[in-house]
Amino acid sequence: METKPFGLLSDKTPVQLFILKNDKLEIAVTDYGTSLVNLFVKDKHGNPVDIALGYEDVSGYENDNGCYLGCNVGRNANRIGNGRFFLGDREYFLDKNDGRNNLHSGLHPYSKRIWTVEKYDDDSVTFSLQSPHMDQGFPGEVTFHVTYRLFEDAAFQIQYEAVSDRDTILNMTNHSYFNLNGEGSGSALQHKLILYADSFTPADAESVPTGEIAAVINTPMDFRMGKTIGQDMEEAYEQLILAKGYDHNYVLNRQEEGCRTVAEVLGDKTGITMQIATDYPGMQVYSANYLDNVRGKNGHIYGRRDALCFEPQFFPDAINHENFTSPVCRAGETYKKEIIYRFSS
């Protein structure tokens, strides 16, 4: 593994970049938020292409204003309606940083903290973070570990592990923006997506699930047989109108326990295919509807729908819906989840 400086925060704290690479892949991760900064994959001609949107140095991540480029989101990814929930006999109140709702845990996210480098070798790096009781408004003192691990078959894993001393909500995911034609290459609407999900959770005008689980069949939400992201996006379908595109949680099919392939994405120009595997029950698919004039790496300006996000997780607002899989982790239990990205061209 190679390390190099990644700039200074506004308070002059130095930040590092950690680079893992083999013959198939190269990833670069910073200890500021454990964010994925670079992801080089070989295209159909054997040329390395960086397919992850990101910033040139840490100042971009420090000043990131609601894009969450490349970061690992915690304690709870996505939205909690009205910024409140009950756990046991107590009500908890969170930051309302998305209208009336809590988004990605509020105003002091883990993506804007320096994590400790716990251990590393040629193929992996593990970061840790101590999160005190009532941090972000959530109960429990929690020790978090996030591990990036390269595999030999053109794949890498992000693994989450945590233990809390009280019952709490734990629901971490990665918020990378992918463009399989290369970051800064323009629209991702011609990427083809196959999604192994027979249903999704419709959301209201504030992107909070209603509690319904709806079938995708005969709707523009259906990616089971594969189609381009843009094929049905402009249809007069209420869910697409409300979200200004795709920004929805899919209920992932569970034909087997544990980690399984849930999606395949094909870049229309590079021939790069990305498979996503996870052991989470849901995945938010986001077509970068609100990405607007963001100055990224290599002088590139990122615009609306120039990338796609695939965020495996427990369902949004799951704590407030009894029919959703619970995101509660009990005191002393080990929370352990993973996402695996596998590439071919």
Side-chain angles (χ1 to χ4, degrees), residues 39-114:
L39 170 54
F40 285 95
V41 181
K42 291 184 179 179
D43 67 10
K44 59 187 176 183
H45 303 296
N47 300 314
V49 179
D50 187 0
I51 64 169
L53 275 62
Y55 299 108
E56 200 67 45
D57 58 31
V58 72
S59 64
Y61 294 90
E62 184 179 21
N63 296 314
D64 180 287
N65 187 23
C67 293
Y68 303 95
L69 260 64
C71 71
N72 288 300
V73 181
R75 290 185 187 189
N76 181 74
N78 220 307
R79 291 171 175 84
I80 293 180
N82 295 307
R84 56 185 286 274
F85 66 93
F86 281 92
L87 187 55
D89 58 0
R90 180 174 171 181
E91 187 174 16
Y92 294 89
F93 297 92
L94 309 172
D95 295 334
K96 294 182 178 180
N97 63 320
D98 184 53
R100 299 183 301 168
N101 309 305
N102 177 269
L103 175 61
H104 296 324
S105 300
L107 299 174
H108 189 39
Y110 294 168
S111 58
K112 292 188 181 291
R113 305 186 196 183
I114 293 182

Side-chain angles (χ1 to χ4, degrees), residues 20 27 29 33-34 36 71-73 115-116 118-119 123-129 143-151 155-163 171-174 258-259 277-280 312 334-341:
L20 300 170
I27 66 174
V29 183
T34 68
L36 179 66
C71 71
N72 288 300
V73 181
W115 290 56
T116 299
E118 192 82 5
K119 59 181 179 179
D123 301 317
S124 68
V125 57
T126 298
F127 303 93
S128 66
L129 180 74
T143 301
F144 284 97
H145 290 92
V146 173
T147 299
Y148 285 83
R149 181 174 291 110
L150 280 189
F151 298 131
F156 76 97
Q157 174 197 54
I158 304 176
Q159 184 180 74
Y160 305 105
E161 192 166 343
V163 178
N171 180 26
M172 292 195 74
T173 193
N174 182 266
C259 192
T278 189
D279 52 356
Y280 274 116
T334 298
Y335 166 90
K336 195 171 185 178
K337 290 292 180 182
E338 66 178 321
I339 308 169
I340 297 175
Y341 307 88

Side-chain angles (χ1 to χ4, degrees), residues 200 215-223 227 232 235 237:
F200 75 107
V216 299
I217 190 170
N218 297 324
T219 77
M221 312 304 289
D222 191 351
F223 285 91
K227 65 182 180 183
D232 299 325
E235 284 199 16
Y237 182 70

Side-chain angles (χ1 to χ4, degrees), residues 185 228 315:
S185 64
T228 64
F315 300 172

Side-chain angles (χ1 to χ4, degrees), residues 234-238 241:
E234 302 305 324
E235 284 199 16
Y237 182 70
E238 183 184 39
I241 294 170

Side-chain angles (χ1 to χ4, degrees), residues 114-305:
I114 293 182
W115 290 56
T116 299
V117 180
E118 192 82 5
K119 59 181 179 179
Y120 61 87
D121 56 30
D122 288 342
D123 301 317
S124 68
V125 57
T126 298
F127 303 93
S128 66
L129 180 74
Q130 291 295 126
S131 180
H133 174 55
M134 297 308 296
D135 189 9
Q136 302 172 315
F138 294 97
E141 180 177 345
V142 184
T143 301
F144 284 97
H145 290 92
V146 173
T147 299
Y148 285 83
R149 181 174 291 110
L150 280 189
F151 298 131
E152 291 299 325
D153 58 343
F156 76 97
Q157 174 197 54
I158 304 176
Q159 184 180 74
Y160 305 105
E161 192 166 343
V163 178
S164 175
D165 66 353
R166 292 176 172 85
D167 292 356
T168 192
I169 295 174
L170 295 180
N171 180 26
M172 292 195 74
T173 193
N174 182 266
H175 204 292
S176 287
Y177 288 70
F178 299 104
N179 187 315
L180 301 188
N181 293 329
E183 61 86 21
S185 64
S187 174
L189 293 185
Q190 293 307 306
H191 284 28
K192 183 179 179 181
L193 172 64
I194 303 172
L195 188 56
Y196 303 113
D198 295 333
S199 53
F200 75 107
T201 54
D204 63 19
E206 297 178 325
S207 295
V208 177
T210 63
E212 178 188 5
I213 294 178
V216 299
I217 190 170
N218 297 324
T219 77
M221 312 304 289
D222 191 351
F223 285 91
R224 293 173 300 167
M225 302 304 294
K227 65 182 180 183
T228 64
I229 295 291
Q231 178 177 311
D232 299 325
M233 185 178 284
E234 302 305 324
E235 284 199 16
Y237 182 70
E238 183 184 39
Q239 285 296 302
L240 292 176
I241 294 170
L242 289 175
K244 296 181 171 55
Y246 293 103
D247 191 7
H248 298 84
N249 170 66
Y250 280 82
V251 180
L252 301 173
N253 296 345
R254 272 196 178 276
Q255 297 175 343
E256 57 189 71
E257 290 302 313
C259 192
R260 76 280 189 207
T261 299
V262 298
E264 300 180 45
V265 195
L266 173 65
D268 50 297
K269 297 177 182 177
T270 59
I272 293 172
T273 296
M274 178 173 70
Q275 287 187 338
I276 303 168
T278 189
D279 52 356
Y280 274 116
M283 184 168 72
Q284 190 85 2
V285 175
Y286 175 49
S287 52
N289 310 318
Y290 294 95
L291 195 65
D292 181 29
N293 198 36
V294 174
R295 183 172 296 278
K297 296 178 288 189
N298 304 307
H300 293 148
I301 302 297
Y302 305 141
R304 187 168 179 251
R305 296 176 179 165

